[in-house]
Amino acid sequence: MPLTPFHFGPSACIALPLKRYIDVPVFILANVAIDIEPLIVMNFHLSYPLHGMAHTFAGAAVIGICLGLIAHWNKTHIQRLMEKMLRLQYAASLKKYILSGILGCWLHVLLDSPLYTDIKPFSPFSDLNPLFGAVQGSMVYKVCAYAFIPAIFFYILFVIWESKRSAG
């Protein structure tokens, strides 16, 4: 099912502790943005694979770069969102945006590849999916669902830590 919340937990779990190196909103958005592809395929009844080029590491890298550039052009709005609404200190660069976009998209492909037979993560170099079935599908779903717990913990921890740091 496209645009499920399953990708939020793992992406937040990774991005928040690494926020010095990874742009949190871009990394999380990149994880979710890849599923626009199956949403379009299903809504417009296209004769195109449900998990096509966006669900490959090459296609995901292109999408990640585009998301990084879009974030760079909108950095003032993102900074306002992070600092005012989410109460997290925020500093980013074009390099950090693009790296976060690519890595976030790749995480999505990595999480989906063991689940779906139509994903060809190494296309156009290979039409094989060596990751399919490597992990039981129910395990991937459980890890994604349970990842919300540490993600919430990390978020609360960072808000408290950063508010103490700025007050002191």
Side-chain angles (χ1 to χ4, degrees), residues 81-158:
L81 169 77
M82 291 295 288
E83 291 177 352
K84 303 279 189 234
M85 292 180 66
L86 298 177
R87 298 176 46 186
L88 291 171
Q89 292 177 358
Y90 188 74
S93 65
L94 179 59
K95 180 180 174 181
K96 191 173 176 181
Y97 285 133
I98 290 175
L99 177 68
S100 302
I102 292 170
L103 292 177
C105 288
W106 282 354
L107 178 61
H108 184 108
V109 173
L110 195 61
L111 288 171
D112 276 6
S113 290
L115 302 175
Y116 305 107
T117 57
D118 63 333
I119 292 182
K120 296 172 176 60
F122 300 103
S123 181
F125 309 107
S126 170
D127 282 340
L128 300 176
N129 182 357
L131 303 173
F132 179 72
V135 179
Q136 206 173 25
S138 62
M139 180 59 75
V140 174
Y141 286 118
K142 285 177 187 174
V143 167
C144 288
Y146 293 141
F148 275 101
I149 297 166
I152 292 166
F153 172 76
F154 287 136
Y155 172 72
I156 292 169
L157 187 68
F158 275 103

Side-chain angles (χ1 to χ4, degrees), residues 15-89:
L16 285 166
L18 296 173
K19 74 184 210 77
R20 171 187 269 181
Y21 311 102
I22 294 176
D23 187 81
V24 175
V26 173
F27 189 81
I28 293 172
L29 177 65
N31 266 274
V32 176
I34 295 296
D35 272 341
I36 291 173
E37 179 184 48
L39 183 67
I40 291 170
V41 171
M42 288 183 347
N43 282 339
F44 294 104
H45 307 288
L46 303 176
S47 69
Y48 180 81
L50 197 57
H51 301 98
M53 277 308 291
H55 282 79
T56 67
F57 290 113
V62 171
I63 293 168
I65 291 167
C66 292
L67 288 171
L69 291 171
I70 291 168
H72 180 69
W73 296 327
N74 293 285
K75 62 185 168 191
T76 346
H77 302 296
I78 297 170
Q79 183 172 7
R80 192 174 316 128
L81 169 77
M82 291 295 288
E83 291 177 352
K84 303 279 189 234
M85 292 180 66
L86 298 177
R87 298 176 46 186
L88 291 171
Q89 292 177 358

